[in-house]
């Protein structure tokens, strides 16, 4: 059987369409899977680079941790930490011209091997003494942190401010009383 040239052209076109359609039908999911696999390999390589960078920074982070850990004051199991911190906050406020009208400690909270005491204070001051006080709190050798601060204009004078703040003090309890 011989095919006419017209039939031969139609058969060739039909075979081409079937081949291209079959390749698209079966090849498209494979191409998508291959593209996704390449993206996953690239993502894994980026994550590996990040992990290696963090591993390389470990000595620096350990050194920073040791420096912070050394700043944490040590108290004995029965030492009065709250009274000591009340005096410290009051002293810092007096040194920088911040008037504290109310100071109330919260109960001691134990978080792992660290403990924390929150001290709520109501204050009145001008802006500059307040900023100096907040800076002194941040640079104090003990770990003090002001997490809440409210500010509003005070009555009775231009430039006077009043509000409240909460100072958190982190420390650890040692094995013997009187150890600092």
């Amino acid at each position: 059987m011989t095919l006419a040239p017209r039939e031969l052209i139609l058969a060739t076109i039909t075979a081409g369409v079937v081949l291209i359609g079959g390749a698209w039908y079966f090849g498209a999911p494979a191409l998508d899977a291959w593209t996704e696999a390449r993206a996953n390999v690239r993502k894994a390589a980026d994550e590996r680079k990040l992990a290696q960078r963090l591993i390389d920074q470990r000595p620096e982070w350990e050194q920073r941790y040791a420096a912070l850990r050394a700043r944490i004051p040590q108290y004995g199991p029965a030492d009065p930490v709250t009274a000591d911190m009340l005096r410290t906050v009051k002293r810092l406020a007096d040194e920088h011209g911040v008037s504290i009208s109310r100071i109330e400690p919260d109960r001691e909270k134990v978080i792992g091997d660290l403990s924390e005491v929150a001290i709520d204070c109501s204050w009145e001051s001008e802006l500059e003494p307040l900023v100096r006080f907040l800076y002194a709190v941040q640079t104090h050798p003990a770990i003090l942190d002001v997490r809440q601060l409210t500010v509003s204009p005070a009555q009775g004078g231009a430039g006077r401010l009043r509000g409240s703040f909460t100072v958190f003090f982190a420390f650890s309890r040692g094995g013997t009383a009187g150890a600092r």
Side-chain angles (χ1 to χ4, degrees), residues 21-65:
W24 177 79
Y25 181 75
F26 293 110
L31 180 63
D32 290 343
W34 181 69
T35 305
E36 185 179 338
R38 282 189 58 172
N40 288 342
V41 166
R42 200 170 310 127
K43 182 180 175 185
D46 291 343
E47 288 175 357
R48 184 184 172 280
K49 287 178 187 176
L50 176 64
Q52 187 61 46
R53 220 176 33 237
L54 290 173
I55 290 170
D56 292 343
Q57 292 176 351
R58 182 178 179 158
E60 176 188 343
W61 284 107
E62 286 177 344
Q63 182 181 16
R64 290 174 70 181
Y65 171 75

Side-chain angles (χ1 to χ4, degrees), residues 11-140:
T12 304
I13 291 173
T14 303
V17 167
V18 167
L19 282 174
I20 291 172
W24 177 79
Y25 181 75
F26 293 110
L31 180 63
D32 290 343
W34 181 69
T35 305
E36 185 179 338
R38 282 189 58 172
N40 288 342
V41 166
R42 200 170 310 127
K43 182 180 175 185
D46 291 343
E47 288 175 357
R48 184 184 172 280
K49 287 178 187 176
L50 176 64
Q52 187 61 46
R53 220 176 33 237
L54 290 173
I55 290 170
D56 292 343
Q57 292 176 351
R58 182 178 179 158
E60 176 188 343
W61 284 107
E62 286 177 344
Q63 182 181 16
R64 290 174 70 181
Y65 171 75
L68 278 175
R69 188 74 181 165
R71 283 185 53 200
I72 295 175
Q74 296 283 325
Y75 288 90
D79 286 346
V81 177
T82 304
D84 189 28
M85 285 323 305
L86 291 173
R87 282 190 301 271
T88 301
V89 170
K90 184 70 174 151
R91 180 182 50 79
L92 287 173
D94 290 343
E95 285 176 3
H96 295 91
V98 175
S99 172
I100 293 184
S101 58
R102 178 187 58 86
I103 186 165
E104 293 179 16
D106 200 2
R107 291 186 349 176
E108 182 178 320
K109 295 177 188 166
V110 178
I111 306 165
D113 61 342
L114 292 178
S115 297
E116 181 178 71
V117 171
I119 301 171
D120 295 319
C121 302
S122 294
W123 59 273
E124 188 169 326
S125 168
E126 292 186 357
L127 180 61
E128 187 175 329
L130 175 64
V131 171
R132 282 188 270 125
F133 167 73
L134 292 173
Y135 180 76
V137 166
Q138 285 296 303
T139 58
H140 192 268

